[in-house]
Amino acid sequence: MRAAGRSVRTRLRDRIAASDPGLLRLTAGLRTVGAIALTLAVLSLLRADVHHLVAGAMAAMVATFAIREKQLGAQAVTLALGLPVALASVSLGAVLNARLLVGDVFFVVLIFCAVYGRRFGDRGTALGLIGFQVYFLSLFVGATVSALPVLCGAIALAFASSAVMRFAVVPATPAGVLLRLRLAFRARLAQLVSAQLDLLDADADEMDKALDAVREGTARLHETAMMIQARLEEGTPDESVARLVQRRIADAEIAAERLGLLLLSARSAERADTLTLHLPGAPAPSMGQPALPDEATATLRRDLRALLALVLRAGSGDAGTALAHVRNRLLGYRDEENLPPAPSAVQDVFRGIGEAARAVLGLRIALDGPQDESDDSPATARSREELDAEDAAIDGGEEAAQEEQTGLRRPTTRAAVQVAVGSTLAIVGGELLSTQRWYWAVLTCWIVFLNTASTGEILVKGYRRLLGTVFGVVAGIVLAGLVGQHTWTAFALVLVLIFAMFYVAPLSYTLMSFFVTAMLGLLYTLLHTYSLDVLVLRIEETALGAACGVVAAALVLPVRTDRRTNELLGTVLDRLAAVTEAAVGQLSGGPADDLLDQARDLDQALADLRAATQPLTHPVTPLRARRHTARYVVALLETCAYHARTLAATAELLPTHPSIAADPRLRGAAGRTVRNIGTIAARVADEHARAEVETGPSIASLLGSDAGTPRYGRITDRVLRHLERLDEAVLGLARPLGVPVAAPRK
């Protein structure tokens, strides 16, 4: 019974870890709600009136969510600096509240400075956000000079409550967050292997659904790997440990993705295209061949379940004899003589299972330290030796400096000018709608500029905020009617809505806006200013603020979505070419390079491009053909990144891996592919460029007839397969991007 209870708790923990990597959303929600609850509790003991309760709650929320630094010391400094900024802001708000013109001008200047402060990193962003939001708070509660002492006391208490929750009650150290992210990676890896099991057993009618699950699992695993990468520097004791974890995470991600592709190929009439794993909605390959032999299917099912058990026990202290036996069997598939008799495509799946088991073993050693080796088979001992040799060779790399833009080309300066113009329009229009609640239009205009970089992104964000506001008004009407004048019931519901707002914020901006608006309905009830007209006015002011933001973005120093995506696309192509050329150069005997860092830079550039194309791929966009093209291009680039990432990981093994040696014949094999990437990048940068992408014989044929010699055959063949797929994907990019293809040379 006790063991069953532990199993249920473990499954629940893994499910939570997978749904909220690092528990970042849960931590943010609990920390914010706790700070607000503590502030309200102390203020209620001091018998503060409802206006000060609301002000304290809003200040506690701002003081908590504004701070984004990862190190606790940096967070403490920013919080300490934020308090005088907040006190100055609320004081100016109270003084200027009755001076219409001067107050409006100051508000615009404050907005400009708050946005411009983003150029100074997380601290500048936090202080600007605190200054703006607390000034807004003063307008919301109608701050006056006579009430300033009590109001400043409530704000100081709110900051103190935020500090208590951040540093004492719900602390989140970089090492702790990284540990939870690693648990999330393991949980999501297990989910992906489970989805691959379902793909093995799916019949023809269920293949598309099973493939969608594998596709989603692959994307979620990659997302977690990127989150770990972003926190390695702060969360690990030294650079060598960070690089070791980076290597093992990359190995596990690549092995899991490759296993899914091999499994799909084994179930298909022909070798599956890597694009199938990256293009949402792409149909599963046709099942033109007979079903897998029953014996092979049963063995694959057994071994995939064994791999799943290895993943789930990767963080356990004692694997046990039975699990060691399973691990030995799976690692044995890395040797040709241990492969079961089966068609070639099925044997490839067994090889993939062996490589995935090796990646899980490496991940466990990197994260948990040395393990019991008493039950190791020769294959397992050899895998450990390979991993130990790789670990010993890891050293730090230098980070390349990036050129910084200046003047109005700097994104923060441009955004500050845009939001200042948009806010001016929102103030004028908002006061025409309401002389008392005009600031809602300004708030919306401000918010739609946060974390956006193009007119299209601002338009989509404004649409989502308006949609969430409309439904939130309906919810606010219902909740206000239920709560009535029950103050503490209303505050309890406010806390629930705030927690929900922070928990869903990274997932859905529409839902976040919904919870914000529903919460505001309750706050208006507490302030005795609730009415249906007020909530309808909220919709009107929101629509006006979003429109002002879009107008400012479109007319003042505009960054069109096409320009933004083209810039990011050029960055992705440049990094893709660099990773490919460096990896193939190292595989052919060239000098060592920092390939995994370059591969992660490529992944980050691709993530930025994916976010920038959201206005083009959003369901409401009227340009259907353009939406399909954008999705197709991003999927092709994800395919290219997968192959480049795999080439980089293979090249990184060269100095230490006993079974991998450089093959000089690979030198120049990627030349045509790199030139084609450069040609496409030139066309993206200048639509009048005349260059054509090249076609010709397969890359394998460029190596000559001795491409399969025993010494290099297995690794060289794998490298060639990835190069071939990369070359095909790059050629596939030419058509949707309008790059002409040269006729093959005879």
Side-chain angles (χ1 to χ4, degrees), residues 636-650:
L636 277 172
L637 289 169
E638 288 176 341
T639 298
C640 293
Y642 162 71
H643 293 297
R645 195 186 312 130
T646 306
L647 290 171
T650 305

Side-chain angles (χ1 to χ4, degrees), residues 362-377:
L363 194 63
R364 182 177 180 187
I365 293 173
L367 301 183
D368 302 323
Q371 309 294 318
D372 181 13
E373 303 177 14
S374 59
D375 295 318
D376 282 0
S377 67

Side-chain angles (χ1 to χ4, degrees), residues 541-620:
E541 297 279 5
T542 298
L544 175 65
C548 291
V550 172
V551 169
L555 299 181
V556 181
L557 305 174
V559 177
R560 293 174 56 85
T561 303
D562 287 347
R563 174 185 158 192
R564 170 73 174 162
T565 54
N566 283 347
E567 289 175 352
L568 294 174
L569 177 56
T571 301
V572 171
L573 292 171
D574 289 343
R575 292 183 179 177
L576 175 63
V579 172
T580 303
E581 191 169 27
V584 174
Q586 191 166 322
L587 286 165
S588 62
D593 206 344
D594 225 351
L595 293 175
L596 283 184
D597 282 343
Q598 291 186 40
R600 285 305 175 193
D601 288 342
L602 169 61
D603 288 335
Q604 186 57 59
L606 186 52
D608 293 340
L609 176 63
R610 192 183 304 112
T613 57
Q614 285 186 359
L616 304 178
T617 59
H618 195 276
V620 300

Side-chain angles (χ1 to χ4, degrees), residues 667-680:
R667 195 181 309 277
R672 183 178 68 202
T673 304
V674 172
R675 287 194 300 273
N676 284 342
I677 295 172
T679 299
I680 295 173

Side-chain angles (χ1 to χ4, degrees), residues 302-348:
R302 178 201 66 182
D303 288 337
L304 283 172
R305 286 174 177 164
L307 178 62
L308 180 60
L310 282 182
V311 173
L312 290 173
R313 293 292 297 275
S316 303
D318 179 19
T321 304
L323 204 62
H325 174 73
V326 166
R327 180 194 62 214
N328 293 340
R329 185 181 74 245
L330 299 188
L331 288 171
Y333 290 146
R334 301 182 66 224
D335 297 329
E336 296 293 323
E337 60 269 17
N338 294 328
L339 293 174
S344 175
V346 178
Q347 285 193 329
D348 282 343

Side-chain angles (χ1 to χ4, degrees), residues 488-520:
W488 292 110
T489 302
F491 270 123
L493 284 175
V494 165
L495 292 178
V496 172
L497 292 172
I498 289 175
F499 176 83
M501 175 181 71
F502 280 92
Y503 195 77
V504 305
L507 304 178
S508 171
Y509 186 72
T510 302
L511 276 177
M512 188 196 78
S513 300
F514 167 80
F515 288 122
V516 168
T517 305
M519 175 195 70
L520 289 173

